[in-house]
């Protein structure tokens, strides 16, 4: 038994390192994009369209798309948009959702009634329809994507954090903090919050992965920012169309996106296992 | 004539400590043998080993289980399963979890007769009806169509007992069959098992922690402590004069309903220490 | 009679949910910042033109009036007219519905078969390397959404080893004798197996991408509840009766383990239907979802309304069916 558990933890550790490593690399690439990108991601060269990657007699490192734009440079710049959406929408969703969940779970009373009712209504409304509607109404663009993610996904945080805050609130250490004279707000922030923080971190990690994929999907169907701007989804969309002529336009952004999404979810799951007292 | 013979059976947790230490016991055909011990002594483990339903984390280290002269542990699993299925049966401890909640009583009683033993559906149903009547269930035809949750615990235990006798097994393992029941029902169920056993002439291995029950039902018994048999005796001789100090203390600790003022006599620590040293339990 | 009451109660809540969806859809769409009428007209249209069209689509009335008019129309099957296609929304939507239904049913079937097989295998070989392998594969399948699986499958089985079609619902040059839009179903009924093969070859990859995450969920959940069931006394009892391990799992454990899995599969199936929106786009499959995306791009509000409401009906319908199945399969509810 002890052996198996150690093995599980080792595997979990490796998983954390791989996922975290890829994401850290991605952050660095996004920050230093102008230094790293071999070409201007927007620069077109119609005479150098659909050049294959370098090992297939091509000039460009990972090939060029139909307009002669450098695939590698576009992937590098695309990471800026992907990470921006992930971080901005992830953090806002987290603040709103976790905040409301914490209030509802610890404060109870009418706050809880209100928040829970909203969660119920949200849950009854399928996310896909919600996003179709929202994007249709607000119109396409990066800002709408972030708004849509926040509006749809805050319940993911609120639900879990509320339940956890309720469970923590029922424990003796909270009662003794109150007895020791800590105010309600102080108890919530000093006693409850640190204990629900691990779960919030896990949810935030998973949410960022979701945000990346939502952004990719919406740029794939042309509902994100303009098609000139380098987004992974947009590149994949173009690659899908020219798949029989230039596979590299699809493959490289797809692999990047795949690894990124996988890393976020593996990091989230890995952290969950790490924080889970049963495994520890 | 000995029907079941367990010889020097040792069982342990995989990669862990022993659960049974060289246990030997015999059950004669048509006889009732009691298996007594405190909880954790390993008495249920013996029954499970015989029936081939040890938990996955538990393994047989050595020994033999002879059923009608054939060593079950030497048989390939499939053969063993068929052999045990045809000649043995189990009366489980908890009637509330021992019936499949999603299937009707009738199917649960008859399926194995049809599937495993090759009876016709009609024969099996007739048999089930007769047995339910024998365990004093009123309106057996209706009960056959019902689901477990529609029946009381006592009813379900009767059904399980009827089921155990369905294929006329040579040996039944009764694993604390009355522990989970109300005290008022316990007596009836005990009487029922004893009566069925006599009528069908089945050998019975009766696992219990209650010496009072043993004195009523069994002909012989083995006392188990920490996975080791400390005494095997005829019931009459045992209750007259237990040979082992632990057995004597266990007997003294059994409350006597005939003498409510006698007080409680837990097994003394000195006896526990002695028996521990003897069986090598740490 | 507990069953009847459950059914009635569920029908009422379903109706309430649908009404709620209708209200939300209507209200959300009316707060559009841009003027859809202005977008419909060519540049240089006069204010008079705008006013005329606005009146034509009833956009000059109050929101409540608009809702009542619209609601009354919906109840009579009038979902309005698509702004881009200038055809009745209901007819357009119903024409696409069969394609999406066939795709999601096919995907569900794949997911149940694959997930169920994985769960049963994992239970039979529990605590072995095989179970570990199934767990890891399931974790991978769940980490990545259907959209990405679709693209990966296109690369693998459409380009690298081109065994399946990666675009459309059916080869366009084929002569279709169908009178309904349930092509797959009708090809089976008419025994035109050549057409069935072509349809399946188009449907296989999109269905598989939708099925992969669901199969993993089914495998995980079913295996977990199977393993819990395997410890129960009636399973042990069946073992002593001479049943093999495999038939113990199949006969005793499975019927009881299926029930808790069923509810969740229902919820997940609605997610799968939601997933068709993007998967149909990825595979250029002419279903409802593909139409929905076009409608959003064109801001064709009546069409969006119709599609969203139809999806909502589908979702609540699936939930209703699952609840009813649960009620009929659970002997405790059936014989209360």
């Amino acid at each position: 038994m002890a052996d198996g558990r150690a093995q599980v933890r080792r595997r979990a550790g490796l998983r954390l390192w791989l996922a975290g490593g890829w994401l850290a690399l991605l952050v660095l690439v996004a920050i230093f994009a102008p230094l790293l990108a071999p070409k201007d991601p927007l620069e077109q060269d119609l005479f150098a369209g659909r050049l294959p990657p370098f090992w297939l007699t091509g000039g460009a490192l990972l090939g060029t798309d139909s307009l002669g734009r450098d695939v590698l440079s576009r992937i590098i710049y695309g990471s800026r948009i992907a990470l921006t959406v992930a971080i901005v929408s992830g953090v806002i969703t987290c603040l709103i959702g976790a905040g409301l969940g914490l209030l509802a779970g610890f404060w109870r009373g009418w706050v809880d009634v209100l928040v829970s009712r909203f969660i119920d209504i949200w849950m009854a409304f399928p996310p896909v329809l919600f996003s179709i509607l929202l994007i249709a109404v607000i119109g396409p663009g990066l800002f709408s994507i972030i708004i849509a993610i926040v509006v749809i996904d805050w319940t993911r945080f609120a639900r879990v954090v509320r339940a956890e805050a309720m469970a923590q609130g029922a424990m003796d250490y909270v009662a003794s903090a109150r007895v020791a004279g800590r105010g309600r707000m102080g108890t919530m922030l000093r006693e409850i919050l640190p204990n629900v923080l691990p779960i919030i971190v896990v949810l935030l990690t998973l949410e960022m992965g979701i945000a990346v994929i939502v952004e990719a999907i919406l740029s794939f169907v042309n509902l994100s920012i303009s098609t000139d701007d380098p987004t992974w989804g947009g590149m994949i969309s173009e690659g899908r169309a020219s798949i029989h002529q230039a596979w590299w336009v699809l493959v490289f952004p797809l692999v990047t996106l795949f690894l990124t999404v996988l890393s976020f979810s593996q990091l989230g799951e890995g952290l969950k296992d790490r924080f889970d007292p049963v495994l520890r | 004539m000995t029907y079941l013979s367990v010889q020097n059976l040792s069982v342990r947790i995989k990669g862990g400590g022993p659960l049974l230490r060289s246990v030997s016991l015999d059950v004669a055909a048509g006889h009732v043998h009691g298996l007594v011990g405190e909880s954790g002594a390993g008495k249920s483990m013996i029954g499970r080993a015989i029936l081939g339903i040890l938990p996955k984390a538990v393994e047989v280290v050595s020994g033999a289980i002879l059923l009608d002269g054939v060593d079950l542990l030497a048989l390939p699993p499939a053969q063993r399963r068929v052999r045990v299925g045809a000649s043995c049966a189990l009366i489980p401890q908890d009637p509330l979890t021992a019936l499949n909640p999603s299937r009707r009583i009738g199917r649960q009683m008859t399926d194995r007769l049809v599937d495993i033993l090759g009876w016709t559906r009609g024969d099996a149903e007739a048999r089930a009806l007769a047995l339910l009547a024998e365990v004093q269930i009123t309106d057996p035809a209706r009960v056959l169509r019902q689901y477990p949750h529609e029946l009381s615990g006592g009813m379900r235990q009767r059904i399980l007992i009827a089921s155990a006798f369905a294929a006329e097994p040579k040996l039944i393992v009764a694993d604390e069959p009355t522990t989970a029941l109300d005290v008022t029902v316990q007596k009836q169920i005990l009487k029922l098992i004893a009566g069925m056993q006599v009528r069908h002439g089945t050998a019975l291995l009766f696992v219990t922690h209650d010496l009072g029950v043993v004195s009523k039902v069994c002909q012989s018994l083995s006392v188990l402590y920490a996975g080791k048999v400390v005494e095997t005796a005829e019931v009459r001789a045992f209750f007259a004069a237990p040979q082992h100090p632990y057995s004597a203390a266990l007997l003294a600790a059994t409350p006597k309903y005939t003498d409510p003022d006698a007080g409680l006599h837990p097994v003394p620590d000195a006896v526990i220490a002695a028996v521990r040293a003897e069986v090598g339990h740490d | 009679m507990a069953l009847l009451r459950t059914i009635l109660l569920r029908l009422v809540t379903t109706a309430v949910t649908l009404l709620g969806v209708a209200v939300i859809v209507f209200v959300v769409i009316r707060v559009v910042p841009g003027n859809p009428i202005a977008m419909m007209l060519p540049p240089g249209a006069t204010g008079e033109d705008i006013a005329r069209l606005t009146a034509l689509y009833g956009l000059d009335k109050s929101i409540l009036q608009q809702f009542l008019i619209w609601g009354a129309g919906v109840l009579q099957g009038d979902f309005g007219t698509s702004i881009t296609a200038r055809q009745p929304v209901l007819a357009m939507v119903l024409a696409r519905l069969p394609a999406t239904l066939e795709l999601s049913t096919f995907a569900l079937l794949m997911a149940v078969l694959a997930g169920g097989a994985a769960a049963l295998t994992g239970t039979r070989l529990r605590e072995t390397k095989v179970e570990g392998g199934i767990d890891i594969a399931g974790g991978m399948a769940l980490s990545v959404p259907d959209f990405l699986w679709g693209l990966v499958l296109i690369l693998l089985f459409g380009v690298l080893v081109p065994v399946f079609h990666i675009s459309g619902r059916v080869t366009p040059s084929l002569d279709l004798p169908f009178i309904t839009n349930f092509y797959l179903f009708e090809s089976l009924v008419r025994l035109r197996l050549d057409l069935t093969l072509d349809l399946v070859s188009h449907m296989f990859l999109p269905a598989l991408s939708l099925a992969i995450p669901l199969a993993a969920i089914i495998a995980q959940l079913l295996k977990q509840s199977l393993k819990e069931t395997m410890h129960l006394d009636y399973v042990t009892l069946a073992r002593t009766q001479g049943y093999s391990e495999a038939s113990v799992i199949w006969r005793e454990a499975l019927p009881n383990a299926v029930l808790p899995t069923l509810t969740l599969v229902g919820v997940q199936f609605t997610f799968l239907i939601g997933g068709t929106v993007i998967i149909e786009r990825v595979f250029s499959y002419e279903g409802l979802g593909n139409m929905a995306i076009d409608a959003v791009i064109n801001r064709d509000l009546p069409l969006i309304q119709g599609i969203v409401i139809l999806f909502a009906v589908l979702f609540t319908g699936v939930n209703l069916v699952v609840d009813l199945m649960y009620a009929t399969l659970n002997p405790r509810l059936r014989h209360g």
Side-chain angles (χ1 to χ4, degrees), chain B residues 154 158 178 181-190:
Chain B
R158 283 167 196 274
T178 58
L181 299 172
D182 290 344
V183 184
T184 45
V185 186
Q186 279 185 7
K187 248 189 175 162
Q188 301 167 16
I189 295 292
L190 218 52

Side-chain angles (χ1 to χ4, degrees), chain B residues 97 100 103 111-112 115 147, chain C residues 233 243 251-252 256 334:
Chain B
T97 60
N100 191 327
R103 299 172 58 215
D111 269 4
R112 50 95 58 129
D115 295 344
Y147 285 91
Chain C
D233 285 355
Y243 285 105
R251 295 168 40 95
E252 305 286 336
N256 293 293
R334 197 167 31 183

Side-chain angles (χ1 to χ4, degrees), chain A residues 62-81:
Chain A
L62 296 183
T64 60
D65 64 12
S66 58
L67 298 176
R69 294 174 298 193
D70 185 53
V71 169
L72 177 60
S73 306
R74 288 179 72 78
I75 290 179
I76 288 175
Y77 273 90
S79 67
R80 289 189 153 185
I81 294 171

Side-chain angles (χ1 to χ4, degrees), chain B residues 95-131:
Chain B
L96 297 185
T97 60
L99 287 167
N100 191 327
S102 66
R103 299 172 58 215
R104 292 172 199 272
I105 300 296
R107 295 297 294 220
Q108 299 200 45
M109 288 186 73
T110 55
D111 269 4
R112 50 95 58 129
L113 299 176
V114 176
D115 295 344
I116 308 288
L117 304 174
W119 295 29
T120 65
R121 181 66 61 189
D123 287 353
E125 265 161 25
R127 176 75 175 151
L129 276 176
L131 279 163

Side-chain angles (χ1 to χ4, degrees), chain B residues 48 51 53 56 81 84-85 90 92 94 97-103 111-112 115-116 147 149-150 160, chain C residues 124-127 232-234 236-237 239-245 251-253 255-256 331-332 334-335:
Chain B
R48 289 180 152 259
L51 296 171
I53 47 171
K56 279 211 160 204
R81 212 169 55 222
V84 170
L90 169 72
D94 185 357
T97 60
L99 287 167
N100 191 327
S102 66
R103 299 172 58 215
D111 269 4
R112 50 95 58 129
D115 295 344
I116 308 288
Y147 285 91
H149 71 270
E150 300 172 86
L160 287 164
Chain C
R124 177 68 189 82
L125 302 173
R126 58 191 178 282
E127 282 146 50
L232 297 179
D233 285 355
Y234 59 81
T236 310
L237 199 60
R239 284 210 187 95
T240 68
Q241 294 176 343
Y243 285 105
S244 69
E245 181 75 7
R251 295 168 40 95
E252 305 286 336
N256 293 293
R332 270 166 227 269
R334 197 167 31 183
H335 307 266

